[in-house]
């Protein structure tokens, strides 16, 4: 067990651990691969236009707070050709192009959702109404509502027992931060330890006079947890951009001639804004970083205290990560 | 100057008005000459003449308005679209402009931007080299500097940083002081940026003209431009939150960096590779150096 904790530093994509599976479904060209590549491979939004259609199901492993496996399917996949039972998946995401005619996609989606619901009622069912950037503001909300209503009506028509089926809707686009926000929310439902992480963040916020704190996955820039105050879109996008800037800055001034032991080093950064508020960044585990929006003056005057709190927070998160890993490896 | 639709106004809006690249498609054609006074470094006022590129305007610049347009020109920036529709006409106008410039302001520096490089598929470097040779041929004996640029990446900042570098009267003195300051901070590098445009004004250890690749050859060669681009993007996100970007400090595994306001209209970026140097120490140094640089800058603008 102690050895497992040590190997935390490397992003080992170990096959033996049990991964949480997410299934990406949708018509051909609805943007499934774009979403996957944009989030996890840092493909710029503009480049997603050039992606080839997916011809067979690809599995993308990704390690964050929990190990994920994202299944990217071709548009014409059926229940039989999937090659796995739906009960294996913790979350099923169906992507609909907002400009498409919805009749056919919704019919296919319901087939999948009904089958999944019967096999595993605990699976979360998500609908991404995608490519929202192509419509004007009023229009897209209207279309979004329309699709939502349509799905609920059809579910009700099929059978009354499906009325309670927990289907969540998200309006998304790769050209702003809405896809990150939506995928973050999907991810939250899959993290068993989420309440503990949130508790830690709440304690951190109240003790460090932070108005908002996020725990971000550094590479994909999804947030895995946040404190109890509501998420406001502009703070979220600032945090996303901030992490992106830091990621890009690293290699920019990297010097090949200076070598140092980085094993025990946790990077940190801080942006000071005009009114004195500070947005801080502290790496917590190799994958996760804590971003906190601090009230004016706190960073200058009580930095020691802040860093002390960060150390405690880090220990807490790392303990949770160890338990999580052991559970998945079957040691518990 | 440049042909219609080559991207002159887009470029201006991106660099001087802080608009993101995605909004430039909304810009209309420039009618006649739009004159802009841009405050650069506080007291240095750049008088930017954005000349509409449609043929009718170009003809009038070169005939009736010839003496007005080409009088007292400090820098001529001529924009070429990389995939031009009518290369012969472009070249003819360019030669004509150059003639006029030689007559009315022979001292002016000439920069040629081969713009919209992002639209080129395949080998951009080879294409740029070919265009450079062609343009050199067109210009005859006039010394020119050619850049391949695009508003969607950092190349535009590189070009403009070089352009403003020629305008600032005593950039060399600034560089010298920056080098001293960098040594005092044990910093690998100190870079001075203009506050609103985030163009590079001066750097410590200015790259040796003869062997640019030998100085700091282990650092990425496009780092200055990338920094301009990144910080500007971050400033944008702050602006969306109705906040204003003020300072940035980071301790990354690779290096320590502090970005802070130096004078009223500049920012300084210090890059330190020694892990024992604390950001607080760098910040104090910056604070202490402020009066000196403030003084230097006033001198440089008045000179």
């Amino acid at each position: 067990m102690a050895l497992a904790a040590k190997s935390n530093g490397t992003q080992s994509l170990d096959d033996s651990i049990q991964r949480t599976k997410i299934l990406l479904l949708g018509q051909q060209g609805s943007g499934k691969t774009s979403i996957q590549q944009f989030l996890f491979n840092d493909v710029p939004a503009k480049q997603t236009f050039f992606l080839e259609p997916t011809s067979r199901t690809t599995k993308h492993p990704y390690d964050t707070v929990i190990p994920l496996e994202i299944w990217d399917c071709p548009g014409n996949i059926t229940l039989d050709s999937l090659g796995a039972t739906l009960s294996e998946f913790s979350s099923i995401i169906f992507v609909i192009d907002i400009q498409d005619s919805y009749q056919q996609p919704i019919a296919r989606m319901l087939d999948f959702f009904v089958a999944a619901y019967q096999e595993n009622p605990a699976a979360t069912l998500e609908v991404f109404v995608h490519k929202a950037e192509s419509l004007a503001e009023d229009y897209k909300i209207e279309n979004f509502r329309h699709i939502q209503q349509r799905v609920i009506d059809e579910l009700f028509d099929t059978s009354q027992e499906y009325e309670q089926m927990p289907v969540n809707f998200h309006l998304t686009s790769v050209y702003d931060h809405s896809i990150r926000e939506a995928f973050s929310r999907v991810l939250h439902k899959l993290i068993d330890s989420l309440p503990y992480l949130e508790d830690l963040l709440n304690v951190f916020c109240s003790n460090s006079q932070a108005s908002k704190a996020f725990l971000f996955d550094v590479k994909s820039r999804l947030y895995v947890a946040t404190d109890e105050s509501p998420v406001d879109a502009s703070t979220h996008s600032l945090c996303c951009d901030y992490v992106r800037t830091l990621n890009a800055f690293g290699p920019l001034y990297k010097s090949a001639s200076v070598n140092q032991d980085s094993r025990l080093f946790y990077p940190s950064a801080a942006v000071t804004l005009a009114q004195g508020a500070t947005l801080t960044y502290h790496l917590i585990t190799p994958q996760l970083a804590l971003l906190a929006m601090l009230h004016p003056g706190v960073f200058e005057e009580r930095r020691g205290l802040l860093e002390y709190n960060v150390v405690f927070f880090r220990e807490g998160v790392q303990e949770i990560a160890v338990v999580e890993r052991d559970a998945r490896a079957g040691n518990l | 100057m440049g042909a219609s639709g080559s991207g002159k106004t887009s470029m201006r809006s991106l660099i001087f008005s802080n608009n993101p690249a995605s909004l430039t498609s909304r810009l209309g054609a420039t009618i006649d000459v739009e004159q802009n006074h841009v405050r650069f470094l506080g007291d240095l006022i750049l008088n930017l003449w954005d000349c509409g590129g449609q043929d009718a305007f170009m003809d009038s610049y070169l005939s009736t308005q010839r003496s007005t347009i080409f009088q007292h020109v400090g820098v001529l920036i001529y924009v070429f679209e990389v995939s031009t529709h009518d290369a012969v006409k472009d070249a003819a106008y360019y030669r004509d402009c150059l003639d006029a410039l030689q007559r009315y302001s022979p001292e002016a520096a000439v920069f040629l931007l081969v713009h919209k490089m992002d639209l080129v598929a395949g080998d951009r470097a080879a294409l740029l080299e070919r265009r450079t040779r062609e343009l050199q041929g067109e210009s005859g004996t006039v010394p020119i500097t050619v850049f391949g640029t695009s508003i969607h990446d950092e190349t535009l900042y590189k070009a403009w940083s070089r352009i403003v570098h020629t305008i600032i009267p005593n950039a060399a003195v600034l560089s010298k002081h920056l080098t001293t300051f960098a040594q005092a901070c044990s910093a690998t590098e100190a870079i001075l940026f203009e506050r609103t445009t985030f163009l590079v004004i001066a750097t410590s250890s200015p790259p040796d003209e003869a062997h640019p690749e030998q100085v700091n050859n282990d650092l990425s060669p496009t780092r200055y431009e990338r920094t301009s681009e990144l910080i500007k993007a971050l400033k944008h996100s702050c602006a969306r939150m109705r906040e204003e970007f003020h300072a940035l400090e980071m301790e990354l595994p690779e290096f320590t960096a502090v970005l802070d306001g130096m004078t009223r209209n500049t920012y300084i970026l210090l890059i330190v590779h020694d892990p024992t140097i604390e950001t607080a120490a760098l910040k104090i140094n910056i604070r202490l150096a402020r009066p000196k640089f403030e003084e230097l800058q006033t001198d440089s603008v008045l000179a």
Side-chain angles (χ1 to χ4, degrees):
Chain A
M1 242 205 280
L3 261 174
K6 289 269 163 52
S7 66
N8 192 15
T10 53
Q11 260 218 351
S12 58
L13 295 171
D14 194 353
D15 283 336
S16 64
I17 50 167
Q18 190 193 343
R19 293 184 170 276
T20 301
K21 291 177 183 161
I22 298 177
L23 183 62
L24 266 179
L25 294 169
Q27 298 297 93
Q28 187 176 356
S30 58
K32 302 173 291 299
T33 312
S34 298
I35 292 177
Q36 192 274 329
Q37 293 288 318
F38 176 73
L39 289 177
F40 300 106
N41 269 353
D42 250 338
V43 173
K46 280 220 171 79
Q47 297 290 324
T48 59
F49 185 75
F50 302 107
L51 290 171
E52 295 285 319
T54 310
S55 56
R56 54 193 197 85
T57 308
T58 26
K59 301 170 191 176
H60 302 275
Y62 185 79
D63 273 332
T64 167
V65 63
I66 53 171
L68 296 175
E69 188 167 277
I70 295 146
W71 288 43
D72 184 15
C73 300
N76 56 3
I77 195 111
T78 60
L79 277 172
D80 302 321
S81 62
L82 185 60
T85 55
L86 282 177
S87 57
E88 285 178 40
F89 298 96
S90 312
S91 187
I92 297 176
I93 300 173
F94 199 95
V95 185
I96 295 184
D97 185 337
I98 195 164
Q99 285 187 311
D100 235 1
S101 60
Y102 338 121
Q103 206 157 6
Q104 210 198 349
I106 288 182
R108 277 195 62 221
M109 173 170 79
L110 291 178
D111 286 347
F112 271 103
F113 279 9
V114 166
Y117 186 64
Q118 279 167 342
E119 285 187 45
N120 176 15
T124 59
L125 307 173
E126 315 280 343
V127 181
F128 282 8
V129 181
H130 197 48
K131 306 194 188 174
E133 79 282 351
S134 56
L135 293 181
E137 198 65 33
D138 301 348
Y139 246 137
K140 69 183 177 198
I141 303 283
E142 194 180 308
N143 273 17
F144 179 59
R145 290 241 173 80
H146 191 191
I147 292 178
Q148 201 165 347
Q149 196 54 49
R150 179 83 178 254
V151 172
I152 292 170
D153 288 350
E154 291 208 9
L155 271 177
F156 189 71
D157 288 348
T158 323
S159 161
Q160 280 198 345
E161 68 171 298
Y162 297 135
E163 203 189 357
Q164 298 304 316
M165 195 149 107
V167 183
N168 303 295
F169 295 84
H170 308 267
L171 188 60
T172 60
S173 161
V174 289
Y175 288 92
D176 55 27
H177 294 292
S178 57
I179 184 68
R180 288 193 203 287
E181 169 108 43
F183 209 95
S184 301
R185 288 186 192 279
V186 172
L187 184 62
H188 294 168
K189 293 174 196 137
L190 308 178
I191 303 172
D192 295 331
S193 53
L194 186 69
Y196 310 111
L197 292 174
E198 285 180 340
D199 269 352
L200 279 172
L201 281 163
N202 284 336
V203 171
F204 177 82
C205 274
S206 56
N207 287 331
S208 316
Q209 292 184 7
S211 57
K212 188 76 198 148
F214 286 105
L215 192 59
F216 261 79
D217 179 70
V218 176
K219 188 162 172 285
S220 66
R221 311 201 293 280
L222 297 171
Y223 69 96
V224 298
T226 180
D227 67 317
E228 61 198 350
S229 65
V231 177
D232 114 67
S234 59
T235 315
H236 173 246
S237 53
L238 174 60
C239 290
C240 283
D241 289 337
Y242 180 36
V243 176
R244 189 183 74 99
T245 309
L246 291 175
N247 285 351
F249 243 108
L252 214 53
Y253 291 90
K254 192 173 188 166
S255 169
S257 55
V258 182
N259 256 324
Q260 57 196 23
D261 186 19
S262 59
R263 256 182 312 168
L264 267 174
F265 184 80
Y266 289 104
S268 64
V271 167
T272 317
L273 303 171
Q275 275 88 37
T278 316
L279 183 61
T280 59
Y281 165 100
H282 291 273
L283 203 69
I284 298 297
T285 73
Q287 289 113 21
L288 302 177
L290 170 72
L291 272 89
M293 184 62 103
L294 300 178
H295 287 301
V298 176
F299 188 69
E300 282 81 21
E301 287 153 30
R302 268 164 269 173
R303 189 164 172 183
L305 190 65
L306 175 79
E307 273 166 13
Y308 184 74
N309 287 344
V310 170
V311 169
F312 269 89
F313 181 80
R314 184 177 289 141
E315 280 176 6
V317 174
Q318 287 182 347
E319 265 176 50
I320 292 175
V322 170
V323 172
E324 181 80 45
R325 196 174 29 250
D326 289 346
R328 291 196 180 249
N331 290 353
L332 279 181
Chain B
M1 286 210 140
S4 179
S6 58
K8 302 172 293 298
T9 310
S10 300
M11 199 180 270
R12 193 192 69 191
S13 119
L14 194 78
I15 297 270
F16 294 100
S17 317
N18 290 326
N19 291 324
S22 51
L23 288 181
T24 54
S25 58
R26 297 187 191 166
L27 293 168
T30 308
I31 305 300
D32 212 1
V33 182
E34 274 183 22
Q35 282 196 41
N36 271 62
H37 294 271
V38 182
R39 219 166 234 284
F40 191 79
L41 273 175
D43 303 318
L44 185 67
I45 293 168
L46 304 186
N47 197 346
L48 214 63
W49 290 40
D50 182 5
C51 303
Q54 288 166 33
D55 293 355
F57 298 132
M58 289 300 268
D59 290 335
S60 94
Y61 302 150
L62 293 167
S63 50
T64 49
Q65 295 181 316
R66 199 169 172 113
S67 58
T68 344
I69 296 272
F70 293 98
Q71 200 81 261
H72 306 299
V73 175
V75 176
L76 171 72
I77 302 166
Y78 202 99
V79 184
F80 292 92
E81 200 176 335
V82 67
S83 47
T84 180
H85 311 294
D86 194 349
V88 182
K89 196 178 76 191
D90 278 2
Y93 275 128
Y94 168 62
R95 266 198 310 273
D96 223 350
C97 285
L98 213 56
D99 280 347
L101 191 72
Q102 285 300 301
R103 167 126 182 265
Y104 292 101
S105 339
E107 298 294 301
V110 180
F111 289 92
L112 308 181
L113 305 186
V114 181
H115 200 46
K116 306 198 184 175
M117 285 298 276
D118 52 311
L119 299 179
V120 179
D123 193 353
R124 291 180 190 177
L127 181 86
L128 184 62
E129 200 169 315
R130 211 186 64 225
R131 290 285 284 159
T132 309
R133 266 201 311 275
E134 281 171 22
L135 291 171
Q136 191 76 63
E138 295 288 351
S139 328
T141 54
V142 183
I144 56 163
T145 318
V146 184
F147 292 103
T149 56
S150 155
I151 54 170
H152 296 286
D153 61 25
E154 71 279 359
T155 49
L156 188 63
Y157 290 98
K158 179 185 174 144
W160 276 90
S161 291
R162 283 287 299 278
I163 292 169
V164 297
H165 200 80
T166 59
I167 301 175
I168 297 164
N170 61 347
V173 181
L174 275 174
S175 290
K176 208 183 100 221
H177 280 83
L178 274 177
T179 311
T180 318
F181 182 58
Q183 271 163 6
C185 298
S186 315
T188 321
E189 199 162 41
I191 307 155
L192 203 63
F193 293 96
E194 205 276 331
R195 192 176 278 256
T196 46
T197 56
F198 250 93
L199 295 175
V200 178
I201 297 170
T203 62
S204 66
S205 62
D208 190 348
E209 286 299 326
H211 314 278
E213 68 281 356
Q214 280 181 9
V215 185
N216 279 325
N217 58 353
D218 49 349
L219 294 179
S220 155
T222 58
R223 60 191 181 280
Y224 304 135
E225 300 88 75
R226 289 279 296 143
T227 310
S228 299
E229 199 199 1
L230 282 170
I231 300 297
K232 234 174 161 175
L234 191 63
K235 276 177 83 176
H236 261 293
S237 334
C238 292
R240 268 205 301 272
M241 248 189 91
R242 281 181 295 283
E243 286 279 8
E244 201 185 317
F245 174 81
H246 204 253
L248 172 68
E249 57 178 87
M250 22 188 181
E251 290 177 45
L252 301 180
E254 297 91 1
F255 60 89
T256 306
V258 173
L259 178 74
D260 205 348
M262 190 51 150
T263 62
R264 269 167 297 125
N265 26 49
T266 56
Y267 269 103
I268 190 164
L269 175 68
L270 284 173
I271 304 288
V272 184
H273 281 100
D274 182 347
T276 57
I277 307 287
E278 296 289 335
T279 54
L282 295 176
K283 280 182 148 174
I284 286 200
N285 278 344
I286 291 177
R287 211 170 65 212
L288 293 175
R290 256 176 212 152
K292 178 68 189 161
F293 274 86
E294 199 77 68
E295 190 186 308
L296 263 179
Q297 192 190 305
T298 324
D299 290 353
S300 93
V301 172
L302 291 179

